[in-house]
Amino acid sequence: MPKLSVDGIEVEVPAGATVLQACEAAGVEIPRFCYHERLSVAGNCRMCLVELEKAPKPIASCAYPAADNMVIKTTTPMVKAARHGVMEFLLINHPLDCPICDQGGECDLQDQAVAYGMVHGRFVENKRAVTDKYMGPLIKTVMTRCIHCTRCVRFAQEVAGVPDLGGLGRGEDMQIGTYVEQAIASELSGNLIDLCPVGALTSGPYAFVARPWELKKTDGIDIADAVGANIRIDTRGPEVLRILPRQNEAVNEEWVGDKGRFWVDGLMRRRLDRPWVRKDGKLVPASWAEAFAAIAARLKGLAPERIGALAGDHADAESIQALGDLMAALGSCNVDCRVDGAALDVSRPEFWRFNTTIAGIDQADAVLLIGTDPRREAPVLNARIRKRWLANALPVGLVGPAADLTYPAERFAEGPSALRAILGGGHHFVRTLAAAKHPMVVVGQGALRRADGAAVLAAAWAIARNANAIRADWHGFNVLHTAAGRVGGLELGFVPGAGGHDARTMLSGAVELLWLLGVDDADLSGLGNAFVVYQGSHGDAGAARADVVLPGAAYTEKQATWVNTEGRPQRGFQALFPPGEAREDFRILRAFSAVVGRVLPYDTIDGLRARHPLFGLGFAPVRGERTEGPAGDASAMEEAAFLPAIATYHVTDPISRASPTMAQCVRDLAGPKPTALAAE
């Protein structure tokens, strides 16, 4: 490990570290624009110049490897003059847009011009102007501000895996843009906005809405998928204005998917802000007392086995716990969180978790994907697989529909025939898995929602076991969920009790009263004359079928816990209050329990959380000591092809369906627009 001196401070850094990293280890701040720790080194902004003893000129610290006995100086007159010169060059063509620029207050160029720039400029010629580029409805461009740091180009190529951006021209004529003007076809494109150190790429929906110092900032959890990316919710008054990622190395690093970032305009549209009761075939506004009385009247005299409850994809753990407690108080064991009918064995947590953990992907050396398209189901997790592929040419096998995963994947078949061949040992990918030290098998919801889902789950487990992927030091069997609330329900035991009905049976009319907690994406046509109570935040399919509608809070409007696909509980905090008469879901359930004389044993959220250790936020990955598999019979797999779990990435749930921005993304990314004729 090299040892060197930075401004008189002795530091030791890992082999391969750069001078810039050594300076950071010494606590010395080095300005930079092009350098980013998660991207390849470009070395083209030259803002990070430092003085190396005995070197004839300053060196670019981001690209210069650290070595033994180096003496680095960062505050000498040579360094200051170099930084002044670089900043003066950067500002030669930069427009004076700060008063109207959306990046104002969060601009690296502003900050570094004040800290490291000159007090005046000497350039008096006309500034260069660059035509703005179209990059889709999510990214607003003002390319005259671009300083050619190429962060956006490197992110698109290296992290997102969509090489849509590049530099065109040379010298003064160089421009950053798409080679063919079109929307950037990536589910991670919003991260370009965070990476841009100037105002060249900013948020289209957020443009000219607010300044950063006007916003209240609240920590939250992204529920657009089951990864559980850590986010920051920025609000002003009664409205969410934007969502940004927070850094969490174990989950999302510092990225977030476009849907969870840009669906904020759907949080205020189609909202349920008062109770509704169906009278004479029509839903009419009602008070809370009237809504509760209608439910209580229907419950009166109803046998417990005729009562059921389902928890939807966005349900938080506290709400699921409260609903489970209410059903238990009513004597019913007809509860389920698997509203899509996924055949998940609920006997052991490792049968429904992503056991490798998301961070564990960094160790994998072979991956088999079964019935899943992680690029659309979990974009941030897919970027982690791509990062691993870039590091060691990770071999990836795909069983399921064709998909562009942003990295090479050998597709074997669309259905279980490939699984049979792998289980039989006659498939060439068996040797790939056997040669790997850390093989992974990932089974998705597209393979588990089928009638033979239990058989597919058993086959996937058997493949992982045969590949020695289930052992004390490594657990390579993984289930990739698409619903943020699913694993929380499983961990809390929100599944049918002895003799209870599962989701498929309840949705087929097996109960006379069905309580839907945010269930909007299930087939409700088989309920017949069942009395339906819908509790949720948006007027979507569930509310349209309901006999009583109870307005709940959206995920930004409550303090709640969500459990991600790897079984990690994470807590989001309340950023604003629910609209109108809407209330937090667990409070609605607690209030109703008093109306029917089955009072739940808690009045506060802390009292509720005391009922289960999950709410202690502890997380311990499951190890592979036990190799016995789930209850399904692998030989019972059918021949039908696996179907995609998600048809359209941007529109999958009530919030995204209510979002005009997501609707515009669907239109813009559906395909190339037809060329308009002269007469048009």
Side-chain angles (χ1 to χ4, degrees):
M1 296 175 66
K3 295 181 180 180
L4 60 158
S5 168
V6 178
D7 290 343
I9 302 171
E10 296 291 334
V11 293
E12 185 175 3
V13 295
T18 64
V19 171
L20 187 149
Q21 292 169 323
C23 293
E24 289 183 335
V28 177
E29 180 181 359
I30 301 296
R32 82 290 298 268
F33 292 113
C34 68
Y35 175 80
H36 191 278
E37 55 271 16
R38 302 191 194 278
L39 304 176
S40 62
V41 174
N44 52 10
C45 77
R46 319 311 283 183
M47 194 63 200
C48 65
L49 295 175
V50 297
E51 182 178 345
L52 172 61
E53 190 175 66
K54 299 181 180 179
K57 59 183 181 180
I59 64 169
S61 61
C62 70
Y64 207 95
D68 271 328
N69 303 319
M70 272 186 172
V71 177
I72 303 296
K73 299 176 182 178
T74 68
T75 58
T76 62
M78 175 194 287
V79 172
K80 292 181 179 179
R83 291 173 180 173
H84 286 169
V86 169
M87 184 61 69
E88 187 176 13
F89 275 117
L90 289 176
L91 295 178
I92 278 177
N93 286 311
H94 200 77
L96 301 177
D97 283 349
C98 294
I100 59 163
C101 178
D102 285 297
Q103 201 85 331
E106 298 174 316
C107 177
D108 290 348
L109 187 64
Q110 272 187 338
D111 296 341
Q112 295 188 38
V114 171
Y116 304 104
M118 298 177 67
V119 296
H120 63 277
R122 295 173 289 178
F123 187 76
V124 296
E125 306 296 329
N126 292 327
K127 291 180 179 288
R128 183 184 79 145
V130 180
T131 305
D132 293 342
K133 308 297 188 295
Y134 175 76
M135 295 186 184
L138 304 180
I139 300 176
K140 170 179 171 283
T141 65
V142 185
M143 299 312 294
T144 300
R145 302 170 185 162
C146 179
I147 62 171
H148 301 164
C149 71
T150 68
R151 280 187 180 183
C152 57
V153 176
R154 285 174 283 146
F155 175 86
Q157 292 178 341
E158 298 167 13
V159 179
V162 180
D164 288 352
L165 290 174
L168 302 173
R170 298 180 66 187
E172 188 182 53
D173 296 325
M174 180 180 175
Q175 299 183 20
I176 301 294
T178 54
Y179 301 105
V180 178
E181 193 158 302
Q182 60 184 6
I184 296 178
S186 171
E187 296 76 20
L188 296 168
S189 64
N191 295 287
L192 297 172
I193 298 166
D194 301 331
L195 288 172
C196 184
V198 294
L201 305 179
T202 59
S203 172
Y206 178 70
F208 308 118
V209 171
R211 289 295 195 185
W213 53 84
E214 301 172 352
L215 303 176
K216 173 189 171 185
K217 302 168 179 62
T218 308
D219 290 348
I221 301 299
D222 177 25
I223 65 168
D225 54 38
V227 171
N230 290 211
I231 58 173
R232 192 186 84 194
I233 304 164
D234 287 355
T235 58
R236 184 179 62 185
E239 189 175 1
V240 177
L241 297 186
R242 69 174 178 179
I243 287 175
L244 299 176
R246 286 186 293 125
Q247 185 170 335
N248 186 332
E249 295 296 331
V251 180
N252 60 303
E253 297 181 305
E254 59 184 86
W255 318 125
V256 70
D258 286 350
K259 184 166 54 177
R261 180 194 291 264
F262 290 110
W263 68 0
V264 292
D265 51 354
L267 289 169
M268 293 299 291
R269 289 171 170 81
R270 303 183 191 173
R271 287 301 303 270
L272 299 172
D273 59 358
R274 66 178 68 179
W276 298 75
V277 175
R278 191 175 296 277
K279 296 180 179 179
D280 300 324
K282 293 184 178 180
L283 286 171
V284 297
S287 67
W288 279 105
E290 291 171 334
F292 285 165
I295 304 171
R298 187 66 182 85
L299 274 173
K300 192 173 183 179
L302 199 61
E305 60 268 18
R306 307 299 295 169
I307 304 169
L310 297 176
D313 292 351
H314 288 174
D316 58 278
E318 286 84 355
S319 303
I320 295 174
Q321 177 70 49
L323 183 56
D325 290 343
L326 176 62
M327 290 296 113
L330 295 172
S332 173
C333 59
N334 301 323
V335 298
D336 206 348
C337 60
R338 301 162 296 176
V339 293
D340 57 359
L344 293 161
D345 190 318
V346 298
S347 61
R348 298 211 316 260
E350 55 196 305
F351 293 153
W352 68 69
R353 288 186 182 180
F354 199 95
N355 296 293
T356 301
T357 72
I358 297 171
I361 295 172
D362 295 342
Q363 303 177 51
D365 46 9
V367 176
L368 177 63
L369 304 175
I370 302 173
T372 181
D373 178 0
R375 176 177 175 181
R376 289 166 181 81
E377 297 170 25
V380 172
L381 184 145
N382 190 66
R384 201 129 190 177
I385 298 176
R386 175 176 169 80
K387 182 177 77 169
R388 183 60 176 164
W389 169 77
L390 285 172
N392 73 338
L394 178 73
V396 179
L398 173 63
V399 180
D404 178 7
L405 301 175
T406 71
Y407 43 84
E410 185 179 0
R411 182 164 166 260
F412 304 138
E414 292 191 10
S417 59
L419 302 184
R420 290 194 184 93
I422 294 173
L423 280 173
H427 197 282
H428 71 273
F429 204 71
V430 173
R431 295 186 292 275
T432 301
L433 292 173
K437 294 181 179 179
H438 298 101
M440 277 177 52
V441 175
V442 182
V443 59
Q445 302 307 296
L448 300 178
R449 292 174 181 172
R450 303 149 42 104
D452 64 342
V456 175
L457 184 70
W461 179 276
I463 291 172
R465 181 181 57 208
N466 294 345
N468 196 30
I470 303 173
R471 55 183 194 264
D473 63 333
W474 176 257
H475 203 317
F477 176 80
N478 304 286
V479 177
L480 180 57
H481 292 271
T482 57
R486 182 69 48 80
V487 178
L490 295 169
E491 300 279 341
L492 292 169
F494 197 83
V495 293
H501 298 304
D502 62 10
R504 288 182 187 270
T505 309
M506 283 188 274
L507 291 171
S508 299
V511 295
E512 295 181 33
L513 186 147
L514 184 61
W515 196 298
L516 302 179
L517 179 61
V519 177
D520 290 285
D521 296 288
D523 183 4
L524 306 177
S525 60
L527 290 175
N529 296 323
F531 188 89
V532 176
V533 179
Y534 176 81
Q535 179 180 342
S537 60
H538 283 69
D540 207 86
R545 172 58 184 83
D547 295 284
V548 175
V549 176
L550 305 177
Y555 75 106
T556 55
E557 299 159 1
K558 54 188 172 183
Q559 183 185 152
T561 305
W562 283 271
V563 185
N564 75 350
T565 191
E566 58 185 349
R568 182 190 304 272
Q570 301 182 106
R571 187 158 296 160
F573 296 91
Q574 184 178 21
L576 67 169
F577 293 101
E581 299 178 44
R583 296 293 182 267
E584 294 174 79
D585 292 302
F586 93 91
R587 297 187 186 280
I588 296 172
L589 295 160
R590 168 61 180 81
F592 176 74
S593 71
V595 172
V596 294
R598 302 287 196 276
V599 181
L600 299 181
Y602 42 79
D603 295 320
T604 65
I605 195 167
D606 291 331
L608 183 155
R609 288 172 176 164
R611 294 180 62 81
H612 199 282
L614 171 79
F615 298 107
L617 302 185
F619 173 61
V622 177
R623 295 301 178 190
E625 287 89 355
R626 301 177 63 181
T627 59
E628 61 271 20
D633 181 5
S635 65
M637 289 187 293
E638 300 173 358
E639 294 298 331
F642 296 137
L643 298 177
I646 292 177
T648 305
Y649 167 73
H650 293 96
V651 181
T652 57
D653 49 67
I655 300 177
S656 57
R657 284 192 287 268
S659 167
T661 301
M662 294 295 98
Q664 186 62 45
C665 287
V666 174
R667 289 191 291 269
D668 282 21
L669 295 171
K673 298 179 178 62
T675 303
L677 302 177
E680 298 176 329

